[in-house]
Amino acid sequence: MKKKRRLVFRSILLAIIAIAVGYTFYNNVFQDRNGSVQKGNKAPDFELTDLQGNKVRLSDYKGKGVFLNFWGTWCKPCQREMPYMQKEYKKYQKQGVEILAVNVGESNVSVKNFADRFHLSFPIPLDGSREVTKAYGIGPIPTTFLVDKNGNIIEKTSESLTNQTIKTYMEKIKP
């Protein structure tokens, strides 16, 4: 009698584990990633606060090209491309191109220290809750979107960018 009860208990437990594993697998493989924004989509508007406490809305930049970059201070490729972004920002800002470097989930202090170390002058909105990051379907960082003057995404990349690539992208979104 004890053996039979133990066998039933083990079978039920194994079935529950199998269902849980199956459910997890299904959600990770077949889940519709409706938050994933791609080339050709309208860029979802958002409002975040930057390092200076100002509200930053993507829609406020309509009529300009926007280099929308999602990054983190700990990210080595991000550390490499930020000086290039700053260099090109100085040139292209006068030509109607803006950079919005959205920091993903870090504290104001660590982001400010990073910005000071690299002498960054472009807006750095803080996505502490990661709501914008989720809305854009960001996986690996850095991820960059090129948004044209009409608010359409004309390019998306998750590659580490060189100075020349950033320059080429700035040319693409120049109004």
Side-chain angles (χ1 to χ4, degrees):
M1 184 68 166
K2 268 187 165 182
K3 280 186 174 183
K4 190 174 184 179
R5 201 180 301 182
R6 192 179 328 172
L7 179 63
V8 169
F9 177 76
R10 286 180 178 171
S11 298
I12 291 171
L13 187 61
L14 186 60
I16 290 170
I17 291 171
I19 289 169
V21 168
Y23 177 77
T24 302
F25 178 76
Y26 175 81
N27 274 341
N28 286 326
V29 174
F30 298 106
Q31 180 182 26
D32 178 27
R33 302 206 184 268
N34 57 9
S36 185
V37 178
Q38 299 298 325
K39 182 177 175 177
N41 293 148
K42 191 80 166 164
D45 197 16
F46 59 83
E47 181 179 300
L48 294 170
T49 303
D50 69 11
L51 285 174
Q52 286 71 41
N54 303 313
K55 296 289 183 195
V56 176
R57 286 182 198 86
L58 180 61
S59 57
D60 289 344
Y61 294 88
K62 190 164 181 128
K64 296 183 175 190
V66 178
F67 187 94
L68 179 61
N69 179 266
F70 290 82
W71 68 283
T73 61
W74 49 267
C75 162
K76 294 296 181 194
C78 303
Q79 292 171 13
R80 281 191 300 273
E81 65 188 27
M82 284 292 170
Y84 302 144
M85 288 167 56
Q86 178 61 38
K87 178 182 174 190
E88 297 308 323
Y89 180 65
K90 286 180 181 178
K91 295 177 193 172
Y92 284 92
Q93 183 185 24
K94 297 173 190 128
Q95 299 175 47
V97 175
E98 290 290 336
I99 292 178
L100 293 179
V102 177
N103 178 268
V104 179
E106 293 183 272
S107 74
N108 192 316
V109 172
S110 62
V111 176
K112 180 159 179 21
N113 288 340
F114 183 94
D116 290 345
R117 188 171 77 220
F118 288 99
H119 309 288
L120 305 178
S121 63
F122 45 77
I124 301 177
L126 303 172
D127 189 15
S129 66
R130 299 179 186 224
E131 288 301 314
V132 176
T133 304
K134 289 175 193 166
Y136 274 77
I138 302 300
I141 58 173
T143 295
T144 301
F145 294 88
L146 302 182
V147 182
D148 70 12
K149 66 182 180 178
N150 300 312
N152 298 312
I153 295 170
I154 61 167
E155 193 76 48
K156 174 186 176 184
T157 183
S158 291
E159 297 175 7
S160 180
L161 304 176
T162 64
N163 192 72
Q164 184 57 49
T165 305
I166 291 169
K167 189 174 187 173
T168 300
Y169 283 168
M170 296 282 189
E171 283 292 328
K172 274 187 170 183
I173 57 175
K174 209 167 53 169

